[in-house]
Amino acid sequence: YLVYAGDICALFGIDCASGDTFTNKASAHLSMESIHVPDPVISVSLKPTDKNDLDKFSKGINRFTREDPTFRVHYDTESKETIVSGMGELHLEIYAQRLEREYGCPCITGKPKVAFRETVTTPIPFEFTHKRQIGRA
């Protein structure tokens, strides 16, 4: 089959990412405009229920990040959590369900933990007199 300019076609079994462009000329110097990818609006922590499923978990997450440019993943070293970000709660729930269905890796989602960095380390001298007012002014 031939695919002409402006045609949309589907290819199976090719390792590629969303937005890749294919051509039959190796020497063609083409400059394609990249697609606009909006910033994620929600983030949740995601971890497999069983520690032995980490291999399946990472395979699924890597595949999802290649397929969907709006799905982003990073590991927070302070809280030791995998944080996934996407375009909405339903978007992230679907990926958690796909991990269970396609990779046999049930996952737990939750709110990301916040690492508190500020604390009182030394005493500070402080004076204050509280004047209590009784009655009318």
Side-chain angles (χ1 to χ4, degrees):
Y1 294 100
L2 292 175
V3 180
Y4 296 99
D7 289 351
I8 297 173
C9 71
L11 302 172
F12 297 95
I14 296 176
D15 187 27
C16 63
S18 179
D20 284 353
T21 302
F22 296 97
T23 179
N24 65 349
K25 296 184 180 186
S27 64
H29 298 288
L30 299 174
S31 176
M32 305 294 287
E33 192 173 311
S34 64
I35 58 173
H36 169 70
V37 179
D39 291 331
V41 294
I42 189 170
S43 297
V44 298
S45 67
L46 188 67
K47 67 178 181 178
T49 54
D50 187 6
K51 299 266 187 198
N52 297 329
D53 289 339
L54 280 172
D55 189 43
K56 296 177 192 175
F57 178 77
S58 63
K59 278 184 186 176
I61 291 293
N62 285 334
R63 177 178 160 211
F64 299 154
T65 53
R66 276 187 286 124
E67 288 177 356
D68 185 358
T70 62
F71 181 73
R72 300 195 185 146
V73 180
H74 75 277
Y75 183 75
D76 189 356
T77 55
E78 292 179 353
S79 64
K80 297 184 176 34
E81 289 182 318
T82 302
I83 308 295
V84 294
S85 305
M87 300 311 296
E89 202 171 327
L90 180 62
H91 183 219
L92 300 177
E93 282 179 26
I94 288 171
Y95 280 117
Q97 291 171 359
R98 283 184 65 189
L99 277 169
E100 184 172 1
R101 188 177 61 248
E102 296 174 22
Y103 291 91
C105 178
C107 294
I108 300 169
T109 58
K111 292 182 180 177
K113 293 178 185 169
V114 177
F116 295 101
R117 296 184 183 159
E118 294 183 17
T119 186
V120 177
T121 57
T122 59
I124 303 293
F126 181 76
E127 284 187 41
F128 178 75
T129 305
H130 179 70
K131 295 181 180 178
R132 189 173 147 194
Q133 185 175 5
I134 301 174
R136 295 184 194 183

